[in-house]
């Protein structure tokens, strides 16, 4: 990813807008040939695009910090498993409806979810499509914590006040080379 080559980037912060993180990708786009698909025209093009997209999270050398408000569905729900820090609003939930759509889980979630949640809970989420609500996600260690509603930063048009995002300022104040090296060691185990 470009952030890896940019020394001025100390951390990558991802968040949604309008009180939600992401509603996922609409697979209906595949059945409508009139759609302008930025990744190409075929399922193979999509598969390659998504593999590159997923690997960009996995190979990011900078800390990845996510603020999840409201819904996190599909691909972006699974991407949170790659984040170094995930904080949620109290009403946040993760939903992976892959099985009900007749598709397999994406973004290495068949590996990352069992590793983070245990196989039994991963089955409930990936196989059955059960919601994982913020409170349970926190209790299971899937996220770092929950930010009370009154302390959530305004996300529109962009976050300008980072003071209520736990540890973000500490990351920004730490030696970048050390932080990136520690991240590399942790990711590579």
């Amino acid at each position: 990813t470009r952030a890896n080559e940019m020394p001025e980037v100390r951390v990558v912060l991802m968040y949604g807008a309008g009180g939600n993180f992401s509603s996922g990708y609409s697979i209906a786009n595949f059945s409508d040939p009139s759609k302008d698909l930025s990744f190409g025209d075929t399922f193979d093009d999509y598969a390659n695009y998504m593999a590159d997209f997923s690997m960009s999270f996995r190979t990011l050398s900078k800390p990845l910090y996510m603020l999840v408000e409201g819904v996190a569905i599909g691909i972006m729900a699974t991407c949170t498993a790659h984040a170094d820090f995930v904080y949620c609003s109290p009403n946040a939930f993760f939903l992976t409806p892959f099985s009900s759509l007749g598709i397999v889980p994406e973004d290495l979630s068949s590996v990352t979810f069992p590793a983070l949640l245990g196989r039994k809970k991963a089955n409930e989420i990936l196989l059955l499509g059960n919601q994982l609500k913020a409170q349970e996600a926190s209790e299971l260690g899937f996220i770092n914590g929950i930010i009370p509603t009154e302390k959530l930063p305004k996300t529109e048009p962009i976050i300008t006040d980072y003071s209520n995002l736990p540890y973000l300022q500490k990351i920004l104040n730490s030696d970048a080379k050390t932080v990136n090296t520690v991240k590399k060691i942790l990711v590579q185990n």
Side-chain angles (χ1 to χ4, degrees), residues 14 17 26 42 73 78-79 91 99 104 107 126 137 150 162 178 189:
M14 293 184 69
S26 175
T42 68
I73 300 176
T78 61
C79 284
N91 70 331
S99 292
V104 297
D107 192 39
L126 295 173
E150 65 275 5
Y162 305 107
T178 302
N189 318 44

Side-chain angles (χ1 to χ4, degrees), residues 92-163:
F93 67 90
F94 303 86
L95 182 64
T96 58
F98 304 117
S99 292
S100 66
L101 298 171
I103 58 177
V104 297
E106 56 196 359
D107 192 39
L108 299 173
S109 57
S110 59
V111 175
T112 57
F113 276 43
L116 293 169
L117 298 165
R119 194 178 66 115
K120 306 279 193 268
K121 181 53 74 175
N123 281 339
E124 291 178 13
I125 297 165
L126 295 173
L127 182 64
L128 302 177
N130 291 356
Q131 282 187 16
L132 178 62
K133 295 183 178 179
Q135 186 61 47
E136 185 179 14
S138 181
E139 291 165 3
L140 293 170
F142 188 72
I143 65 170
N144 295 81
I146 298 171
I147 300 173
T149 303
E150 65 275 5
K151 291 192 174 191
L152 288 168
K154 292 184 182 359
T155 58
E156 295 178 45
I158 62 169
I159 293 178
T160 56
D161 180 7
Y162 305 107
S163 62

Side-chain angles (χ1 to χ4, degrees), residues 162-181:
Y162 305 107
S163 62
N164 288 327
L165 293 176
Y167 302 113
L168 185 58
Q169 197 59 53
K170 188 172 186 175
I171 297 166
L172 292 170
N173 291 337
S174 297
D175 177 68
K177 186 175 180 180
T178 302
V179 168
N180 296 344
T181 300

Side-chain angles (χ1 to χ4, degrees), residues 75-86:
I75 183 70
M76 290 311 293
T78 61
C79 284
T80 59
H82 298 292
D84 301 295
F85 299 90
V86 180

